[in-house]
Amino acid sequence: HKNYTRGNFPFGDFDPVGVFCIIDKGKFSSPISIHEEFLLNDENYPLRYLELNLRIDNDLNGPLPLEIGHLIDCKAIGLENHLRLTGPLPQTMGNMTSLFSMALILNGPDFGGELPSSLFQLKNLTTIHIQNNLGKEWSLPSNAQVGDDTQFERLVLVRNNFAGIIPSWIAKLEQLQTLDLSMNNFQ
């Protein structure tokens, strides 16, 4: 599996990352007719699987916008090597009801904070992997409301300077198979 960007895609002018949103007014010529806003790929077919994978070459800076929570059909988020990201993850991420995986790896010194408690209420979320981030103020929420129907299987928080007390609600994650909190500053 190789991640392509506009700069390194080997197949000419075809843009593998081009996605746009339209409103279908009954004139759209696709095998699938939808009368609402939806995303199309370069071949003008509606996307059924949205993944936000912003790795190395994107150089994001500043805080993640609150609007990220509007990506309710997004299945996975990957943010890697964005040294100029700042602030915490927005609480609005709890609106991302289709999210099943989140990975934050090797991001900058001003990125961090308390993980949104709303993440742990998402019924489809199975994995949070946060590793080697440089921020110094990472923490877990002390009062996340974990439901009986959560599918959460993996919580990997390695080498991030997480601090504070490991909260008791983690024991309520009945489907949890992997818990790695190593190389942090938990009490």
Side-chain angles (χ1 to χ4, degrees), residues 10 17 21 28-29 35 37 48 51 64-65 76 87 89 107 110 117-118 121 124 129 138 152 161 164 171 180:
V17 293
C21 182
F28 182 63
S29 59
H35 296 281
E37 290 186 67
R48 292 288 182 219
E51 180 175 315
L64 289 176
L89 296 173
N107 291 298
D110 297 320
S117 59
S118 58
Q121 296 170 9
N124 294 316
H129 186 133
W138 288 96
F152 207 82
N161 293 313
D180 189 346

Side-chain angles (χ1 to χ4, degrees), residues 72-147:
I72 59 172
D73 292 325
C74 184
K75 304 281 186 195
I77 292 179
L79 297 174
E80 181 179 345
N81 201 25
H82 297 287
L83 297 177
R84 296 188 301 157
L85 272 179
T86 62
L89 296 173
Q91 277 288 343
T92 57
M93 291 179 75
N95 297 330
M96 301 174 76
T97 55
S98 297
L99 190 66
F100 72 83
S101 176
M102 181 178 75
L104 308 172
I105 300 172
L106 206 66
N107 291 298
D110 297 320
F111 181 60
E114 183 176 280
L115 294 184
S117 59
S118 58
L119 280 177
F120 298 95
Q121 296 170 9
L122 293 173
K123 293 179 175 131
N124 294 316
L125 187 64
T126 62
T127 302
I128 293 179
H129 186 133
I130 301 176
Q131 184 169 343
N132 295 333
N133 290 287
L134 305 172
K136 296 182 177 22
E137 297 182 12
W138 288 96
S139 63
L140 288 168
S142 59
N143 59 352
Q145 302 295 317
V146 177

Side-chain angles (χ1 to χ4, degrees), residues 102-105 115 120 126-133 140 152-160 162 176-182 184 186:
M102 181 178 75
L104 308 172
I105 300 172
L115 294 184
F120 298 95
T126 62
T127 302
I128 293 179
H129 186 133
I130 301 176
Q131 184 169 343
N132 295 333
N133 290 287
L140 288 168
F152 207 82
E153 297 174 356
R154 293 176 40 91
L155 181 58
V156 177
L157 310 175
V158 177
R159 201 178 296 124
N160 294 292
F162 270 88
L176 192 64
Q177 298 171 14
T178 304
L179 176 63
D180 189 346
L181 306 176
S182 62
N184 285 295
F186 286 113

